[in-house]
Amino acid sequence: MSLTVLGLVGIGILLAMIFLLRIPVGFAMGIVGFCGFWAVLDVHAALGMLGDETWKVFSSYGLTVIPLFILMGQICFYSGLNERLYRTAYAWLGQVRGGVAMATVMACAGFAAISGSNTATAATMSSVALPQMKKYGYDSILSTGAVAAASTLGAVIPPSIVLIVIGLQTGQSIAKLFWASLIPGIMLVVFFLLRIAMVCKKNPAMGPAGPRTGWKEKFRSLKGSVEMIILFALVMGGLLAGFFTPSEAGAAGAALALLVSLGGRNLSWKHFVQSVQDTLGISCMIMTIVLGAVIFGRFLAVTRIPFTLATQVAELSLPPLMILGLICLLYMLGGAIMDALALLIITIPIFFPVAESLGYDPLWFAIVVTVVTTMGAVTPPVGVNTFIVSAMAGDVPLTDVFRGVALFLPCYLLCLAVLILWPGVLTLL
Amino acid sequence: MNPTNIHLKFGSKMMNILKKGVGLTNRSLFGLAGICLVLMMALACSNMVMRSLGHPVKGTFELMGFFGAMVAALSLAGTQAGGGHIVITIFQKRFPKPVRIVLDMVTSVLSLVFFGLMAWQTWVLALGIREFEELSETLQIIYYPFILVVCLGVVALVVQIVLETLILCTGNGEKS
């Protein structure tokens, strides 16, 4: 059996294990990678690699950025930042048609600028925003669709855990990835707002205007979002100015979030412990996937699959844009059936060399695949965010949430079209 | 009371003791991981402050890496117990219950062997480093105990998977 065939068999076994065995993605990648390495070289090499890589990955300074950024987001989450952001956005936008849904999008974007978690945003914003939209007679299709779609912003707007992992995997600067992802993040927010306005203009009953709020109340509500602005400015500003490394940015952000929350008496000891526990669980899950990906990557490297694939794709007579379209389609389908982070970690070692051989900028490619895969969090049959929103809404069937999400899918496609047709947009800021 | 009932009762009691023991161990390791996480945050912040004063904390990057390793390894078992790993259930949930249980058993055995080997190899690595008296690059301290902590975390994960396999074997239900 040639090395390429062995590599393809390994990828096939990995997919079969992930989809049939209910095995954690990181475990499956580690097991297939280890066995594949053993098959190509020998058992001693595979055992030595297993011990070495476990220690190297777990003790890598670069990976310490993951728990620290997650801790920052969890502290903000348990201190009730979501609710405060929502109140601010509601005070400014609530009185226009569709304004409560717009306020939800803005609050999700604000929270995404602190935390990188889609699911936490979907769960909390559902509990905060859905009752309000129900109170003002919003159609459940629009209200649940807005929450599910806007909560995906966490993966695109920096600091995003997905981008951190891509940066670590491809050796790109995390600061540059964060900076580049700001434009698509802002674009998605603007497109979501415009889409809500369009839907409510066509059918005003879907999102009636809420009660008016005075200027005094509007300005008073800004107090609730000050900490978000300070944290975002500290993390992004410090990173870009080169004052600190990504790990230090995460640590500074977490420490500041803790101080602000304690100062504002928004965080109890119980909630602090919960935020640490959640951080450990999420970080461990990500670190296990990264370890599995590193072991699987070692196997792929000895089979030379990524290089063979990149060479063969580069020799194809198809235009690069068509190949990119096919890759995007694969990510779209993959994102619809599995978690975005896991999908990206599995596929990046395979598709990144292909993109580079086609002459695409790695930074641009990373942002494009992040946006494509993010769509998967709201598209059937898996669509994690839609399940959460449907469960939190209680009386709204899943089909209605998917119908609501369908309203926002053109926004993602438009954003992708802009990124593909005008790649320079990422460097505008 | 017939002997079968006595056996069942004894087995159930042993299982409860095992569950409690494993749960307590996982919580303790999780607690230690939490302390390491907070220390990591404090260390990075201290270094930033001290660096701005012209006196960076020596070996910060190295210590951060060691703490990071402990954070990841010591939370392995607790995360597994809490069902915190990403699992794709889209096709499996369509299978009949007996098939699902058999597939779960296969998953458990594969995971058990893999992490058993991982624990063994991290142990071997730690002993090798101790034997050659290898020191860390910046601080020049012995660092094999940190690798032993990683080994401990993986062993705790193995024990957690053993418990889950036993629960599956005794027919106390499927994985959540």
Side-chain angles (χ1 to χ4, degrees):
Chain A
M1 199 186 285
S2 75
L3 286 179
T4 311
V5 174
L6 197 67
L8 292 174
V9 169
I11 293 172
I13 293 174
L14 173 68
L15 293 176
M17 279 174 76
I18 289 173
F19 289 116
L20 298 177
L21 283 186
R22 199 155 54 159
I23 189 168
V25 176
F27 293 13
M29 289 169 86
I31 293 168
V32 176
F34 171 75
C35 295
F37 203 80
W38 178 356
V40 176
L41 298 172
D42 61 75
V43 69
H44 297 293
L47 285 170
M49 181 269 292
L50 184 64
D52 275 354
E53 292 299 350
T54 304
W55 171 244
K56 269 191 210 159
V57 170
F58 281 180
S59 64
S60 150
Y61 173 75
L63 284 179
T64 55
V65 64
I66 294 172
L68 293 168
F69 266 115
I70 295 173
L71 182 63
M72 178 176 86
Q74 289 298 320
I75 290 172
C76 290
F77 169 64
Y78 278 104
S79 70
L81 180 67
N82 270 22
E83 279 180 55
R84 295 196 294 282
L85 284 173
Y86 180 74
R87 277 201 296 271
T88 308
Y90 175 77
W92 286 86
L93 293 167
Q95 64 269 35
V96 301
R97 205 183 282 159
V100 191
M102 291 178 186
T104 305
V105 171
M106 292 300 288
C108 284
F111 193 69
I114 298 301
S115 137
S117 169
N118 285 351
T119 45
T121 313
T124 46
M125 289 315 293
S126 296
S127 61
V128 175
L130 288 180
Q132 287 291 322
M133 286 194 265
K134 196 174 180 181
K135 185 175 152 190
Y136 294 117
Y138 272 60
D139 191 297
S140 61
I141 291 177
L142 177 65
S143 59
T144 52
V147 176
S151 53
T152 62
L153 290 168
V156 184
I157 294 181
S160 146
I161 299 298
V162 170
L163 290 173
I164 290 174
V165 174
I166 292 180
L168 293 170
Q169 241 189 329
T170 59
Q172 294 188 75
S173 155
I174 293 173
K176 279 186 184 167
L177 279 169
F178 279 180
W179 198 237
S181 66
L182 255 180
I183 289 278
I186 294 168
M187 259 199 295
L188 278 175
V189 172
V190 173
F191 292 162
F192 285 162
L193 296 179
L194 290 173
R195 185 71 183 130
I196 293 168
M198 280 165 63
V199 168
C200 294
K201 194 179 176 192
K202 197 175 169 191
N203 188 355
M206 282 187 92
R212 288 201 162 274
T213 42
W215 285 104
K216 200 176 163 187
E217 205 177 324
K218 278 186 180 31
F219 283 105
R220 198 186 293 154
S221 72
L222 287 176
K223 216 172 76 179
S225 51
V226 167
E227 65 195 83
M228 187 278 287
I229 294 164
I230 294 173
L231 273 172
F232 187 74
L234 172 93
V235 170
M236 289 298 289
L239 255 179
L240 292 166
F243 287 145
F244 37 62
T245 64
S247 295
E248 288 174 341
L256 190 68
L258 184 63
L259 287 177
V260 170
S261 305
L262 290 175
R265 297 189 177 187
N266 294 317
L267 190 75
S268 62
W269 171 250
K270 190 182 159 195
H271 281 155
F272 173 66
V273 171
Q274 278 177 332
S275 63
V276 170
Q277 283 177 340
D278 286 2
T279 302
L280 292 174
I282 300 167
S283 309
C284 178
M285 175 266 286
I286 297 173
M287 299 281 263
T288 310
I289 296 181
V290 173
L291 175 61
V294 167
I295 295 172
F296 188 67
R298 291 288 300 269
F299 162 58
L300 286 184
V302 292
T303 62
R304 298 187 55 80
I305 283 256
F307 314 103
T308 312
L309 188 68
T311 316
Q312 288 188 349
V313 170
E315 284 168 2
L316 282 176
S317 53
L318 291 171
L321 201 62
M322 191 179 276
I323 298 168
L324 179 78
L326 288 172
I327 293 174
C328 285
L329 189 68
L330 276 174
Y331 272 106
M332 229 178 268
L333 295 173
I337 52 173
M338 69 190 288
D339 179 81
L341 186 67
L343 174 70
L344 284 168
I345 290 180
I346 292 173
T347 53
I348 275 178
I350 300 168
F351 288 129
F352 237 77
V354 173
E356 280 184 319
S357 72
L358 292 172
Y360 288 119
D361 175 18
L363 186 89
W364 174 84
F365 184 72
I367 302 294
V368 168
V369 293
T370 304
V371 174
V372 175
T373 320
T374 297
M375 266 175 72
V378 285
T379 44
V382 173
V384 185
N385 283 21
T386 36
F387 286 124
I388 293 171
V389 173
S390 175
M392 297 295 288
D395 55 348
V396 183
L398 192 61
T399 45
D400 277 8
V401 186
F402 277 126
R403 281 172 67 195
V405 162
L407 293 173
F408 295 93
L409 288 183
C411 304
Y412 289 102
L413 297 175
L414 194 59
C415 179
L416 277 173
V418 173
L419 289 178
I420 290 170
L421 296 173
W422 187 19
V425 74
L426 292 182
T427 50
L428 274 184
L429 283 178
Chain B
M1 200 180 275
N2 67 40
T4 318
N5 280 347
I6 295 171
H7 265 108
L8 280 174
K9 211 171 173 182
F10 180 73
S12 159
K13 204 174 171 183
M14 286 303 289
M15 188 62 107
N16 280 337
I17 292 171
L18 191 63
K19 273 185 195 170
K20 276 185 188 165
V22 172
L24 185 68
T25 312
N26 291 349
R27 279 195 299 278
S28 310
L29 295 182
F30 225 60
L32 282 174
I35 293 169
C36 291
L37 177 66
V38 176
L39 284 176
M40 210 159 85
M41 179 183 75
L43 179 62
C45 292
S46 312
N47 184 44
M48 276 184 280
V49 173
M50 294 304 286
R51 193 172 57 206
S52 65
L53 299 173
H55 301 285
V57 180
K58 196 184 169 193
T60 299
F61 283 20
E62 209 167 74
L63 285 175
M64 289 274 286
F66 294 155
F67 283 138
M70 292 200 283
V71 166
L74 295 177
S75 40
L76 277 171
T79 306
Q80 170 73 9
H85 290 291
I86 295 176
V87 173
I88 316 291
T89 56
I90 179 169
F91 297 116
Q92 230 226 21
K93 64 186 176 191
R94 291 163 205 266
F95 297 152
K97 194 177 170 185
V99 177
R100 285 204 302 264
I101 289 177
V102 170
L103 292 176
D104 280 347
M105 297 267 276
V106 173
T107 299
S108 294
V109 171
L110 285 174
S111 307
L112 210 54
V113 173
F114 178 66
F115 286 105
L117 289 173
M118 189 185 277
W120 172 40
Q121 284 307 305
T122 43
W123 173 262
V124 169
L125 182 71
L127 293 191
I129 286 171
R130 190 182 71 164
E131 200 179 313
F132 289 107
E133 295 175 351
E134 218 175 287
L135 302 176
S136 69
E137 281 177 24
T138 318
L139 290 173
Q140 294 289 304
I141 54 168
I142 49 161
Y143 70 96
Y144 76 87
F146 293 106
I147 307 178
L148 287 179
V149 175
V150 171
C151 177
L152 173 73
V154 183
V155 169
L157 173 64
V158 169
V159 174
Q160 173 62 35
I161 298 171
V162 168
L163 176 69
E164 287 174 5
T165 315
L166 282 176
I167 293 171
L168 271 175
C169 291
T170 51
N172 281 345
E174 284 181 89
K175 279 189 203 172
S176 60

